[in-house]
Amino acid sequence: MYKNLIFLILISSFSVAFSQDKKIQISTINNITFDADQFSGIDSFGFSYLTKNNRFIKTNGKDAYEYKNISLGKITKVDIENPLKVVLFYEDFNTVILLDNQFNETNRINFSKNTAPILASGIGIASQNQLWIYNTLNQQIGLYNYLKDEYKTVSTPLLGNIKYYQSNFNVFYWIDEKNNWFSCDIFGKVVALGKIPDFDDLTILNNHQYIFKKANLLFFKDISKQEIGNPFQIEISEKTFGNFYYKDQILSIFTFGGITNYKIIIP
């Protein structure tokens, strides 16, 4: 019995330690106050990107730039992967606007006028003067060269509908309605990456790490290290919040009063 008691104590101690290891501690960098409906992120130059009453705004607290286009309706998607070539997607009008770093309109692309039939429901910046496009008409991912006005399909038809998507210069990620996670590179290679837990918001870091929000809690998951077990919880002070943004070990939490920037070390 004494041996059993010692064994239970050891198991209990291990469980507590493991539970403590499953949380990620973060430290506050600063708080930035602003009035916005949506927050799209922060670039490497320290500018925050906001939407207020369908006005798209870029500000660092001193300088501010604004873009508004009433004729195209609501902004559906913002891509700030390249701060020198910001992408705005107006899905209702099948149109993309490209802005330079001072928010001058450099390109306006209406895919309804394209030679190849395109009905875009997913857009992102890609490498070599291209845009990622998920074309609803054929349920395929393609690349559009906005300087040459050329479009090519790169993937086979996708199975199921896209629930969430995200992209960078070289990869288009998506989650289907069953929470299956996939990637497609610029050569059209599609890879099944795994299954994502149910989420309210999500940011993909790479092909094996992601941060997700569920019920006003934040979690980190690395499928290469955590095939079995629960994700790490990220301890933030906000009890309720809108969305979040992660870049270069900075985690930004958006509330309707502004953002709090945290320093976070991904395990």
Side-chain angles (χ1 to χ4, degrees):
M1 176 148 179
Y2 180 71
K3 289 182 178 180
N4 290 340
L5 180 60
I6 293 175
F7 178 76
L8 289 173
I9 291 173
L10 289 173
I11 291 294
S12 177
S13 299
F14 176 79
S15 298
V16 170
F18 179 76
S19 176
Q20 289 174 343
D21 287 342
K22 298 294 283 184
K23 292 190 177 182
I24 299 177
Q25 304 292 331
I26 58 179
S27 56
T28 304
I29 299 174
N30 59 14
N31 294 278
I32 302 175
T33 302
F34 52 70
D35 181 23
D37 300 324
Q38 292 180 321
F39 168 65
S40 299
I42 300 176
D43 67 20
S44 54
F45 303 103
F47 281 91
S48 299
Y49 293 79
L50 327 164
T51 305
K52 178 66 176 178
N53 296 328
N54 214 36
R55 293 179 294 116
F56 188 54
I57 302 165
K58 166 185 172 180
T59 180
N60 62 1
K62 297 179 181 179
D63 301 314
Y65 303 91
E66 180 178 316
Y67 179 84
K68 185 175 183 179
N69 196 315
I70 300 175
S71 63
L72 293 177
K74 185 178 179 180
I75 301 171
T76 308
K77 181 78 171 182
V78 172
D79 188 324
I80 61 169
E81 184 77 10
N82 179 0
L84 306 179
K85 189 71 67 174
V86 175
V87 180
L88 301 182
F89 177 39
Y90 296 83
E91 186 172 358
D92 289 345
F93 286 82
N94 205 26
T95 297
V96 163
I97 301 292
L98 302 183
L99 305 176
D100 66 15
N101 63 332
Q102 295 186 328
F103 274 25
N104 298 305
E105 186 178 315
T106 59
N107 297 77
R108 179 180 296 212
I109 307 157
N110 184 344
F111 294 115
S112 299
K113 297 180 180 179
N114 200 70
T115 304
I118 297 173
L119 181 61
S121 61
I123 291 289
I125 194 77
S127 60
Q128 302 173 351
N129 302 313
Q130 298 180 111
L131 295 172
W132 290 107
I133 296 177
Y134 175 63
N135 189 354
T136 305
L137 294 179
N138 57 15
Q139 295 185 297
Q140 291 175 287
I141 298 167
L143 288 167
Y144 175 80
N145 189 309
Y146 51 82
L147 294 185
K148 298 180 180 180
D149 190 25
E150 294 177 350
Y151 175 73
K152 61 180 179 181
T153 296
V154 295
S155 79
T156 55
L158 308 189
L159 299 176
N161 296 318
I162 292 180
K163 176 180 177 179
Y164 171 86
Y165 74 90
Q166 184 182 319
S167 62
N168 57 39
F169 294 117
N170 299 308
V171 182
F172 185 96
Y173 297 104
W174 75 96
I175 314 293
D176 69 15
E177 291 181 318
K178 296 181 179 179
N179 282 5
N180 296 306
W181 178 19
F182 300 91
S183 70
C184 177
D185 65 19
I186 58 175
F187 303 107
K189 181 181 179 181
V190 174
V191 177
L193 298 174
K195 193 97 170 179
I196 299 283
D198 192 29
F199 62 91
D200 299 323
D201 195 11
L202 177 74
T203 290
I204 296 169
L205 309 189
N206 48 52
N207 62 0
H208 59 90
Q209 295 178 325
Y210 56 89
I211 298 173
F212 68 99
K213 171 190 176 184
K214 182 62 180 177
N216 282 308
L217 297 175
L218 270 186
F219 300 93
F220 166 79
K221 181 81 172 178
D222 186 333
I223 61 173
S224 67
K225 300 177 181 178
Q226 298 171 262
E227 289 290 353
I228 301 175
N230 296 323
F232 288 91
Q233 183 179 342
I234 302 172
E235 293 193 306
I236 60 175
S237 59
E238 289 80 5
K239 302 302 181 185
T240 60
F241 61 99
N243 64 315
F244 66 95
Y245 183 80
Y246 172 86
K247 187 176 180 66
D248 299 333
Q249 297 186 337
I250 304 296
L251 177 66
S252 303
I253 305 296
F254 169 64
T255 65
F256 291 105
I259 58 170
T260 301
N261 290 314
Y262 293 97
K263 178 71 173 180
I264 178 172
I265 305 298
I266 297 297

